[in-house]
Amino acid sequence: GDCKASLASAVGQELLPPGVCSLLNPANIYSNNEIKLEDIEIYGFDYDYTLAQYSRSLHTMIFNAAREILVEHYKYPSGLRKYDYMPDFAIRGLHYDVRKGILMKIDAYHYVQSGTVYRGLSPMPDEEVIEMYEGTQHIPLHEMSDFYGKGPSMKQFMDIFSLPEMTLLSCVNDYFINHGIEFDPVHLFRDVSVSMSVCVSECVSEHECECYILRGEETYAVLNRLVNNGKKLFLITNSPFSFVDMGMQHMVGQDWRDLFDLVIVQAEKPTFFTDRRKPFRKLDEAGDLQWDKINKLEKGKMYKQGNLFDFLRLTGWRGSRVLYFGDHLYSDLADLMLRHGWRTGAIVPELEMEISIINTEQYTHSVTWLQALTGLLERLQVHHDAESQLVLGEWIKERRELMSLTKNLFNPQFGSIFRTYHNPTYFSRRLSRFSDIYMSSISCLLNYDPSFTFYPRRTPLQHEAPLWMDQLEAQTYASHRSN
């Protein structure tokens, strides 16, 4: 065991160039597709978790308020009050089987990741999951989701505000199961969803902005810099005017609207991008609705609802001159990229934490040895003698342990939002499909010149690389053995 550990360390050290453990910068912008900022004339933004970053304390408030609605309004058991919010329980991008009441992580190929299926707060054995899904861990496309992440029985949680929702769902499930209470999971899901939707804006409205809004000065710096460089700015958000106005005044000041050419609230994305029937309505200075027909969109005015087709017709802002930022891959970015040709930027706050873990020596060495071990397994499996098979069994066990270790570094229940062991997650695949660039916060733009060009790295396809890393690793291992 000690010999094997020292060998793993030696292999890891030899394969890792100096400084590799600090190569990734969480303040960087990462590119899926080449994009030249000098070609971008118009910058658009979502509000929540794009312009406004929130602290974890807001999620606790939302969880507590929604839990109270369940108890007081829906008459759920008062024993639910013993559950507190667990900020590290769930991760974004998980799927919830509404009919079965279970939360799970699914990879880009529609397979459930082993060990990441939870009923309530308890993991389900893989065998039970396979039996539940008729002998497979594969979830068919028609069950999983439509274009916006909602299927007949599955809901994918893509909103960052869904973290307290997933936790509350799991807590209520846990209480009912542990107390032997019969319930319909569909009713539970809907009750929790309604309670959460009520709480998000109410919780924010009832507390001072400085209690939960982070990096406000950085948001102001980004907007101010873009305007000073001659860029046009617009805001399209599903949040109401009073909510946005309060937050923007805190971050930017009372004259925040002077920075924007257009502000659209309660847009009802994603139908804003697809439904031509809803006209724009103007709001007065107090945020009250006006009745006049909208024939032009004016700078400094506030608008409600509307649709993208009228937006394009009245502004002429089309195609790759526009770069829009949002945190929700479906509601914010999917239609804009695939149907309308806008450039898109995804805000992924989780990047900051994930990159800090990726940069650790423990993670880097574990993944390097895991890759080497995988390459060795691939080669050894053709040998059927007893000694080789014994070693093969030990290596398979060690590989499984390493996979579990690297997963747990990110989140003990569900791992990284980007990977299911070696495969990309369902979330990760959508991120690469719907965003040209992605970053941890809008403030990352401050690290780049306004004419900067983002180039994606050429990552080899499975058949392209002339010499795989695991081949190098296997050769290094062989040389260690011969020495």
Side-chain angles (χ1 to χ4, degrees):
D2 291 342
C3 179
K4 189 163 62 175
S6 63
L7 174 62
S9 177
V11 171
Q13 293 288 357
E14 186 158 322
L15 290 171
L16 292 175
V20 74
C21 292
S22 57
L23 279 179
L24 295 175
N25 184 349
N28 282 355
I29 293 175
Y30 296 93
S31 174
N32 292 319
N33 195 15
E34 185 173 326
I35 180 170
K36 298 178 180 179
L37 292 186
E38 68 177 354
D39 293 341
I40 304 299
E41 301 170 16
I42 305 118
Y43 283 74
F45 302 92
D46 179 37
Y47 178 70
D48 294 307
Y49 281 103
T50 300
L51 292 179
Q53 294 282 338
Y54 299 117
S55 69
R56 279 187 165 191
S57 62
L58 180 60
H59 287 181
T60 302
M61 287 189 279
I62 291 169
F63 177 92
N64 292 341
R67 184 192 59 200
E68 286 305 303
I69 290 175
L70 288 177
V71 173
E72 295 295 331
H73 180 73
Y74 290 100
K75 308 305 178 186
Y76 276 56
S78 59
L80 288 174
R81 291 191 174 110
K82 74 172 186 176
Y83 290 93
D84 293 321
Y85 180 56
M86 296 171 284
D88 297 317
F89 173 70
I91 61 171
R92 195 153 56 115
L94 299 178
H95 282 78
Y96 185 76
D97 191 318
V98 176
R99 294 172 186 162
K100 295 179 173 67
I102 56 177
L103 190 64
M104 68 190 79
K105 183 179 176 186
I106 297 177
D107 72 12
Y109 304 100
H110 297 206
Y111 281 90
V112 179
Q113 181 177 0
S114 298
T116 66
V117 180
Y118 276 71
R119 177 184 278 134
L121 299 174
S122 302
M124 290 178 62
D126 292 339
E127 303 76 30
E128 194 175 330
V129 175
I130 291 169
E131 183 180 348
M132 182 178 283
Y133 288 100
E134 300 178 354
T136 181
Q137 285 180 279
H138 181 268
I139 309 296
L141 176 64
H142 69 273
E143 286 292 329
M144 278 185 65
S145 61
D146 61 9
F147 189 70
Y148 300 108
K150 296 176 184 177
S153 63
M154 288 275 187
K155 159 75 185 285
Q156 188 181 16
F157 287 105
M158 298 294 272
D159 192 330
I160 301 174
F161 280 131
S162 65
L163 291 170
E165 182 174 355
M166 285 185 276
T167 307
L168 184 58
L169 269 171
S170 299
C171 289
V172 179
N173 270 297
D174 186 74
Y175 183 89
F176 282 3
I177 292 165
N178 289 338
H179 288 80
I181 300 172
E182 287 192 18
F183 67 101
D184 186 331
V186 176
H187 297 329
L188 189 155
F189 172 76
R190 288 175 179 164
D191 291 347
V192 170
S193 294
V194 172
S195 301
M196 291 296 302
S197 63
V198 169
C199 289
V200 171
S201 58
E202 284 190 359
C203 280
V204 175
S205 302
E206 290 172 3
H207 295 81
E208 294 298 321
C209 292
E210 54 266 24
C211 294
Y212 53 81
I213 289 185
L214 306 173
R215 299 178 171 177
E217 68 286 349
E218 294 176 11
T219 295
Y220 173 70
V222 170
L223 299 176
N224 199 47
R225 185 184 190 211
L226 290 172
V227 169
N228 289 339
N229 278 276
K231 308 298 183 182
K232 295 182 182 296
L233 307 185
F234 67 92
L235 173 65
I236 302 177
T237 175
N238 287 349
S239 295
F241 167 73
S242 58
F243 179 73
V244 175
D245 185 53
M246 181 175 60
M248 290 301 291
Q249 285 197 40
H250 170 71
M251 291 187 288
V252 177
Q254 288 192 333
D255 57 352
W256 67 270
R257 280 188 281 164
D258 294 345
L259 294 171
F260 290 88
D261 290 81
L262 273 179
V263 176
I264 300 164
V265 297
Q266 290 176 275
E268 298 181 13
K269 296 177 291 182
T271 57
F272 177 88
F273 301 125
T274 57
D275 189 347
R276 299 171 180 264
R277 294 170 296 178
K278 291 182 299 181
F280 284 105
R281 294 191 67 175
K282 193 183 294 183
L283 302 177
D284 64 16
E285 291 300 310
D288 295 323
L289 284 170
Q290 303 297 289
W291 306 100
D292 45 326
K293 183 178 176 64
I294 304 301
N295 294 311
K296 59 181 178 178
L297 298 174
E298 302 173 75
K299 180 177 171 64
K301 303 295 184 184
M302 300 282 295
Y303 298 92
K304 177 183 175 181
Q305 291 183 339
N307 64 82
L308 186 68
F309 302 94
D310 285 345
F311 179 94
L312 297 175
R313 178 175 58 82
L314 295 171
T315 63
W317 295 347
R318 295 179 181 275
S320 55
R321 295 187 301 142
V322 185
L323 173 56
Y324 185 80
F325 294 92
D327 69 287
H328 198 301
L329 299 182
Y330 297 132
S331 296
D332 289 327
L333 307 182
D335 284 300
L336 293 176
M337 168 172 268
L338 300 182
R339 301 182 199 269
H340 301 286
W342 285 11
R343 311 311 297 269
T344 55
I347 305 302
V348 188
E350 296 92 340
L351 264 176
E352 201 164 319
M353 183 273 287
E354 295 237 353
I355 287 175
S356 70
I357 292 168
I358 290 170
N359 282 340
T360 62
E361 198 167 311
Q362 182 184 15
Y363 176 84
T364 311
H365 286 163
S366 295
V367 168
T368 305
W369 177 231
L370 179 59
Q371 288 291 89
L373 201 54
T374 303
L376 292 167
L377 281 169
E378 190 172 45
R379 286 154 186 78
L380 188 64
Q381 65 181 326
V382 299
H383 300 286
H384 299 291
D385 59 279
E387 185 180 0
S388 295
Q389 288 298 304
L390 184 64
V391 173
L392 189 69
E394 289 179 1
W395 280 352
I396 288 172
K397 181 173 179 285
E398 184 178 1
R399 180 175 182 265
R400 195 178 298 121
E401 290 169 354
L402 274 171
M403 289 167 70
S404 181
L405 169 68
T406 53
K407 165 195 165 250
N408 292 342
L409 288 173
F410 296 97
N411 176 288
Q413 292 76 236
F414 301 102
S416 164
I417 72 167
F418 299 104
R419 283 200 179 275
T420 54
Y421 297 134
H422 48 281
N423 283 342
T425 57
Y426 199 84
F427 173 90
S428 190
R429 181 60 59 87
R430 295 304 178 274
L431 178 67
S432 62
R433 187 182 182 199
F434 299 149
S435 65
D436 291 295
I437 53 177
Y438 62 100
M439 65 212 76
S440 61
S441 77
I442 207 74
S443 62
C444 295
L445 284 169
L446 296 171
N447 301 321
Y448 296 87
D449 187 85
S451 61
F452 191 86
T453 298
F454 293 101
Y455 296 100
R457 294 290 176 265
R458 182 186 174 97
T459 53
L461 302 173
Q462 291 291 322
H463 65 277
E464 283 185 329
L467 191 63
W468 286 103
M469 275 302 293
D470 60 21
Q471 289 176 299
L472 287 172
E473 291 153 3
Q475 289 171 10
T476 304
Y477 172 80
S479 69
H480 273 284
R481 290 198 68 177
S482 62
N483 293 334

